[in-house]
Each structure stands twice: as C-alpha cells, then as structure tokens.
Amino acid sequence: MEERSNLMNMMKLSIKVLIQSALSLGRTLDSDFPPLQQFFVVMEHCLKHGLKARKSFIGQNKSFFGPLELVEKLCPEASDIATSVKNLPELKTAVGRGRAWLYLALMQKKLADYLRVLLDHKHLLSEFYEPDALMMEEEGAVIVGLLVGLNVLDANLCLKGEDLDSQVGVIDFSLYLKDIQNSDDSKHDPGINAVLDQKHYVEELNRHLSCTVGDLQSKIDCLEKTNLKLQEELAAAVDRIGSLQEEQQQLKHQNELIRERSEKSVEVTIQDTKVELDTYKQSRQGLDEMYSDVWKQLKEEKKIRMELEKELELQIGMKTEMEIAMKLLEKDTHEKQDTLVALRQQLEEVKAINLQMFHKSQNSESSLQQKKETISSFEGKTNQMMSTMKQMEERLQHAEQARQVAEGKNNKMKQELGGRIETLQQQLSQMDNQCSILEKELKSEKEQRQTLQRELHQEKDNTSLLKTELQQMEGLKKELRKLQDEKQQLEKVCEEQEQALQEMGLHLSQSKLKMEDIKEVNKALKGHTWLKDDEATHCKQCEKDFSISRRKHHCRNCGDIFCNTCSSNELALPSYPKPVRVCDTCHTLLLQRCSSTAS
C-alpha cells in the first residue's frame, strides 16, 4: 500500500516537472532531456509493480513488455508500434523492447489511450499482475488521467544508437527536491493549482471525446456506404438468380426435347427390330446379337454425351484460363514498358549529372590557378614591405646619431665661446628648428611604420584565408575523385541496366510469341463449332453413309463428324490433358505445326 502511494506521488512529481520544464524551454523534447528520462524510469517502476514471475528455460523472468503486447490485439492502431519494435535489431531483451514501446507511444501522443485500453480489460491483465498491483487498483486509472496532460508536448526521440537493454532504471530524486524547494513559495494557493490542473484535464478529455465522436461519425458514414453497396450487390445478385433460373428452365426444356428425341429413336429402332423379327425368324440368333449391339450403341451414345458435356465444361474452363493469362501477359508487357521508360530516364539523368560534374571540375581547376597566382603576388608584396621597414629603421638610427653629435657640439661651443652667445643662440634656434623638423619626420616615419605593420597583419590574414581556400580546393579535388569513382560506378550500373534492358526485350519477344500462340488457340477454339449428330448423315472425308455398323465419331479439333477409318488418329491438344480422336486432315496440320515450332 505504501509502495503504491509512493509510486503514485513520484509519478505526479515526474509529470509535473516534465511539463513545467518543457513549457519553459519549448515543447519539443529530446531523448537526452533529464526530466523525460526520469519520467520513463518512474513509468517503468509503475509497470513493474506487482508483476508475476514467469518461468522459462533460463529461469524466472519479470518483464512489463508482456502486458504491453496485449495492446496490439485490443487496439489495431498500435500494430505499427509493435512491428517497429520487433524489427529493431539492437533490442535483444524484453525490457529494451518495452522501453522502445513507451518511447514510440509517447511520440504518437497515445500513451494514455493505450494504457486506458489495458485497464478496461483487467481480466487479461490478471494473467500478468498480482491482485494488489498498481495497474489493477484505482491508482492505475489516476496515472492514465495524469498521462493525458503529456499530449500537450512534442517528443522527438531517436531509438537508433541507444542501448535500451542495458540502461539502469534508478530514480534521481535531486530533480524533484529542487522542484520542491522552488514550489515551497507557492504553497499558499494549492486550491488554484488544483483547479487549473482539473481544467486542463477536462479540456484534454473534451478533446479526446470530440476526436472519438468524429471517428464514430466517420465509421457510421463508412457503414452507410457499405450498406448501400451491399444493397446494390443484393439487387444485382437477385437479377443474376433470375437470369440463372431462366437459363435453368431453358436447359430443362432442351433436356426434355433431347429425351423425346431419344425415345423416338428408341421406338424407331424397336419397330425396326420387330419388322426384322417377323421377316427373319430363322436367323433369330443374329437378330438377338443385332439387338444387343443396338443397346450397346445406345449406352455408348449416352456415355459419349456425358463425355461431350464434360469436354464442354473443360473448354469453358480453358477459355477462362486463357483470358486470364492474356490479361496477365498484357499487364506484364505494360509494366515492362514502364520500367524501360524509367530506366531510360535514369540514364538521361546520369548523363546530365556527369556533364555537370565535368563543368564543376573545370571551374574548380581554373579557380585554383587564379588563387595560386594571387598567393604568389601577395608573397612578393610582403617581401617588399619587409625591405622598406628595414630601410626606415636605418634612417631612424642615423637621425638619432646626428642629433647626439649636434648636442655635443652645442655643449663644447658654450664652454669655449661665452662671448658669442648671440650667434650661438641663433645657431641653437636653427638647430632647434632642425630638431623639430627631424622630430616631425620621425613621427611621420613612425606612422608609416604603424601603417606598414597593419598592412602586414592584413596580408597575413589574407595568406591564412588563401591557405584555407587551398585546403578547400584540396577537399574539392578529393570530391572530384570521389565523383569520378561514382561516375565509373554509374557507368557500370548503366551497362548492367542496358544488359537488363536487352534481357527484358528478349522476355518481351518471348511473351509476344506466347501471346500470338494463345490468340491462335483462341481463334481455333472460337472458329470451330461442334457439329450435332442429327446434322451429319455421311462421313465428311470419304462421304460414306452412316449405319449401325458404320458409327459416327467427332474430331476434337475441328468438331466435324467422321467414320472410324477417317478418324482413327489420336493427338494431345491444348484443351485436353490426354490424347484424343482427331481426323486425318487435322492430324497432318497439327504435325506440321509442331515440327515448325520445334525448329
């Protein structure tokens, strides 16, 4: 009980800290955000509370991924999460899969919805949790209500590269202690905070309810559309049933006509036999044999009729199969033509890329030459500036020496010639003027020196920039080499694609030949009609009349009626699995066609 209340309080604190810190920094969260990491740790502890230990070959195992897998069965929207978690190769344990599932559910903003679905089916959760577990009690519903507030935040979490299997789920209380110290000042108005939390919770619930109402309305519209479609299909089915009943009545009428004709033919044969019995009483045995032959012929005709009906059904099935094959071959030809067009477009794009890369390489080489020339000119200027600096320093030294010499002369003249003060003063004034002039020259030279130093610094910066540009040019050369390698690879791919195109052309030609064969077979099936028994009175080839001893036989290829001698050949046809009876003319034609196709 105390553990549940502690976990409940920790969950409230973690959600509060996460929302406050996210709103202060921005609503998008990364996987390195500490409050978000602590929220997942607390959530993992809440899901692990009261888990039953499951026995396996290794030993007892406690994993909270088991109850989370139920969400896929209860809520079909969570199937994408389950498949993506199972397809991650880095995850090898159930704990890692459970953590990845929580990450993806938070990114979809449906963590609260999925856990609410689990809590609505507690009879399924009882297989994984003890009766006093947090998820089985009222605290679970409270946690789901708190998780609704996280839908305000946007999470951008990357699962690749993270070791979710070996992470240690330890709660860091320092984050919450800081939050508690900061929140001590605002304890005087807990009622307002509670009202604001309830307001946010109610707004989120209203948003969820509006979403569910919209989903239900869309489902109702879909059901109405499906009902209309089903009614239309029912009407069409009723019409088909009526047409089928009419066809059935027509077939019954045809069967009755065939029965009447057969009965009439039987009556005629019976009358003939009676007349023969009256006239040929002496040859009673021969007549009995003839009578038995007639009955056998009748049975054989019935069998032949059954076989013909079966053959008709087989021909209808073969026609449908041939039509389906024709459609499939047409689809294949269209798809192959589309692939040919796409491959040609790719070839043109590759050629354009190669031309662009060639122009870029020429431009980069010309810019390299220009930059090398500018670097050489800058180096010459720097050498000239250094020589001018040395000359200016030498002039400064000479001026200082002249000044020292003049001062010495002035002192000696003061000691020796006291009487010539006026002349000396005049000379001194002249010397002072010269000194001021020299000082001005010194100042100008110093200023020139400073300007030269500045120009030197600028030229050094320019040289550094040129060096960086040289490095960039070397990088461009490497990229050029890479692009040339890619060009070679693309040329290889182009050659392979051309070979594939040639193979596709061969396959297309073969498929066209097959289509022509199928069309010829269809023409043969549609062109030849099955001749009825009543329409033929003599053999089509030898023109001999049919009798009781000379029976009628159908050719399975052309459909005409022949005698036994003119239709004694048998061949395998496309519409028949076994060799069947064929007339002499069809036999020779089919043999010639087989020999031409084999060659």
Side-chain angles (χ1 to χ4, degrees), residues 16-43:
K16 183 180 177 184
V17 171
L18 179 60
I19 292 170
Q20 288 177 356
S21 58
L23 291 173
S24 62
L25 297 173
R27 294 193 176 185
T28 55
L29 305 176
D30 296 325
S31 57
D32 297 328
F33 194 56
L36 184 62
Q37 293 176 354
Q38 287 300 312
F39 164 74
F40 282 122
V41 171
V42 176
M43 191 71 207

Side-chain angles (χ1 to χ4, degrees), residues 504-560:
M504 293 284 281
L506 290 171
H507 287 299
L508 278 170
S509 61
Q510 291 177 1
S511 61
K512 283 180 181 178
L513 290 171
K514 288 181 181 178
M515 288 279 286
E516 289 176 357
D517 294 334
I518 290 163
K519 285 178 180 178
E520 287 179 358
V521 173
N522 275 327
K523 286 179 183 177
L525 287 170
K526 289 177 182 177
H528 301 305
T529 56
W530 193 263
L531 195 66
K532 293 181 181 180
D533 293 335
D534 299 333
E535 294 177 356
T537 57
H538 58 275
C539 179
K540 190 176 180 181
Q541 189 171 351
C542 63
E543 295 183 353
K544 291 181 179 179
D545 294 330
F546 293 115
S547 63
I548 295 169
S549 60
R550 187 178 288 107
R551 291 172 54 201
K552 300 175 183 179
H553 296 283
H554 278 87
C555 176
R556 300 298 188 270
N557 188 31
C558 61
D560 292 325

Side-chain angles (χ1 to χ4, degrees), residues 77 101 104-115 151:
E77 294 175 1
W101 192 93
L104 293 170
L106 185 67
M107 287 168 69
Q108 284 188 355
K109 297 185 180 181
K110 292 185 178 179
L111 183 59
D113 297 334
Y114 294 154
L115 292 177
N151 294 335

Side-chain angles (χ1 to χ4, degrees), residues 26 120 126 206-207 210 259 298 361 374 392 463:
D120 291 336
S126 60
N206 285 327
R207 190 176 67 78
S210 63
R259 282 178 185 174
L298 280 169
S361 64
T374 52
M392 293 299 288
T463 52

Side-chain angles (χ1 to χ4, degrees), residues 346-362 480 482-495:
Q346 288 178 2
L347 281 169
E348 290 176 356
E349 289 175 357
V350 167
K351 288 177 181 177
I353 290 162
N354 287 329
L355 286 170
Q356 289 176 2
M357 296 309 296
F358 181 70
H359 291 306
K360 284 182 180 179
S361 64
Q362 287 181 350
L480 256 175
K482 287 181 182 178
L483 289 169
Q484 286 175 357
D485 296 334
E486 288 179 358
K487 183 182 175 183
Q488 291 177 358
Q489 290 178 0
L490 288 169
E491 286 177 353
K492 290 180 182 178
V493 171
C494 288
E495 290 176 357

Side-chain angles (χ1 to χ4, degrees), residues 403 432 434-444:
R403 188 181 176 186
D432 289 330
Q434 288 178 0
C435 285
S436 62
I437 291 163
L438 288 169
E439 284 176 356
K440 288 178 181 178
E441 288 179 356
L442 277 168
K443 286 179 181 179
S444 63

Side-chain angles (χ1 to χ4, degrees), residues 316-379:
I316 292 163
M318 289 295 290
K319 280 184 180 179
T320 54
E321 288 177 358
M322 296 291 281
E323 288 174 356
I324 292 163
M326 290 278 285
K327 289 177 181 178
L328 290 170
L329 284 169
E330 287 176 356
K331 285 181 181 178
D332 289 332
T333 52
H334 288 304
E335 289 176 356
K336 287 172 181 176
Q337 287 175 359
D338 294 334
T339 52
L340 282 168
V341 172
L343 288 168
R344 286 173 183 169
Q345 289 177 357
Q346 288 178 2
L347 281 169
E348 290 176 356
E349 289 175 357
V350 167
K351 288 177 181 177
I353 290 162
N354 287 329
L355 286 170
Q356 289 176 2
M357 296 309 296
F358 181 70
H359 291 306
K360 284 182 180 179
S361 64
Q362 287 181 350
N363 292 324
S364 62
E365 286 175 358
S366 63
S367 62
L368 262 173
Q369 289 177 358
Q370 291 175 1
K371 287 177 180 177
K372 284 179 181 178
E373 289 174 357
T374 52
I375 287 162
S376 62
S377 65
F378 277 122
E379 286 177 354

